[in-house]
Amino acid sequence: NEAIADINATLQLTDGQLDVPPFQIQWRDNTLAFVANGSVQEPVTLNGQVAGHDIKLSDFAELASRFSKTPLPASGIADLKGNFSLAAKPLSFVATGSSSLRDAYYSQSRIGQANLTWNADLDGVQLRSSSNQFLGGTFDVVAKAQDLDWTKTVVEGSFCDVQASKLAAFADRNLP
């Protein structure tokens, strides 16, 4: 039951070619800008770009928590850009992009800044993230989610020079 602000998008169709000049989608305090082009000939296709600045990660974490019925205590501010491609027959969707995150926290533990790349298709999404400011050290993580359920995400990563006391606080555990 969330509102998305009115969308004002113009479509131009000329000789089977579809052009969608830049338009914006507003959700809560987050704004995403889109531009696209495609073809209505066989196969029907749509390709485009998306960009967003000062996106609140906590809004998306809250939405993911609602769908999965499991808290996702993440916050921070992100800038993102990406590309997408959609084909109607056979149905296919691919999206790729990158994001930079600042003032990031997970479970009230500071992550700091991080970079993220993402790939999505009809089967799921893969995220790769890294940071030189994670709990006093660094990390590089790949997460693969299927069916938009973050609770079933497979995560692989490497960590270096992470401070044990900060890691324990991050995991909400006490050190012996």
Side-chain angles (χ1 to χ4, degrees):
N1 295 337
E2 297 237 11
I4 293 178
D6 291 341
I7 299 169
N8 186 9
T10 304
L11 308 174
Q12 298 171 336
L13 180 63
T14 307
D15 296 326
Q17 295 301 307
L18 178 67
D19 288 309
V20 183
F23 69 98
Q24 295 182 339
I25 295 178
Q26 177 91 25
W27 172 64
R28 295 185 181 180
D29 292 329
N30 304 292
T31 302
L32 295 175
F34 290 85
V35 61
N37 60 56
S39 169
V40 292
Q41 301 165 358
E42 287 296 325
V44 175
T45 62
L46 184 65
N47 302 298
Q49 296 84 43
V50 60
H53 301 285
D54 297 330
I55 303 295
K56 293 181 181 177
L57 184 59
S58 58
D59 286 341
F60 290 89
E62 180 186 320
L63 188 63
S65 296
R66 192 179 317 158
F67 278 107
S68 65
K69 297 181 176 65
T70 303
L72 180 60
S75 64
I77 304 296
D79 295 325
L80 66 90
K81 61 181 175 181
N83 300 297
F84 63 89
S85 179
L86 175 67
K89 203 174 197 179
L91 180 61
S92 70
F93 173 78
V94 176
T96 61
S98 62
S99 179
S100 60
L101 184 62
R102 62 189 183 278
D103 300 325
Y105 286 82
Y106 183 84
S107 192
Q108 299 180 355
S109 293
R110 181 169 163 63
I111 295 171
Q113 296 180 347
N115 296 312
L116 175 90
T117 58
W118 45 275
N119 298 295
D121 58 26
L122 294 174
D123 294 323
V125 64
Q126 176 176 307
L127 306 172
R128 179 179 200 104
S129 182
S130 62
S131 175
N132 293 326
Q133 299 181 1
F134 181 69
L135 305 177
T138 64
F139 78 84
D140 185 40
V141 174
V142 175
K144 298 176 184 174
Q146 301 293 319
D147 303 323
L148 298 179
D149 184 353
W150 81 270
T151 64
K152 297 177 184 174
T153 300
V154 175
V155 179
E156 298 174 350
S158 62
F159 300 83
C160 183
D161 298 327
V162 173
Q163 296 175 11
S165 60
K166 290 183 178 182
L167 180 60
F170 180 79
D172 198 25
R173 301 282 185 231
N174 293 322
L175 289 176

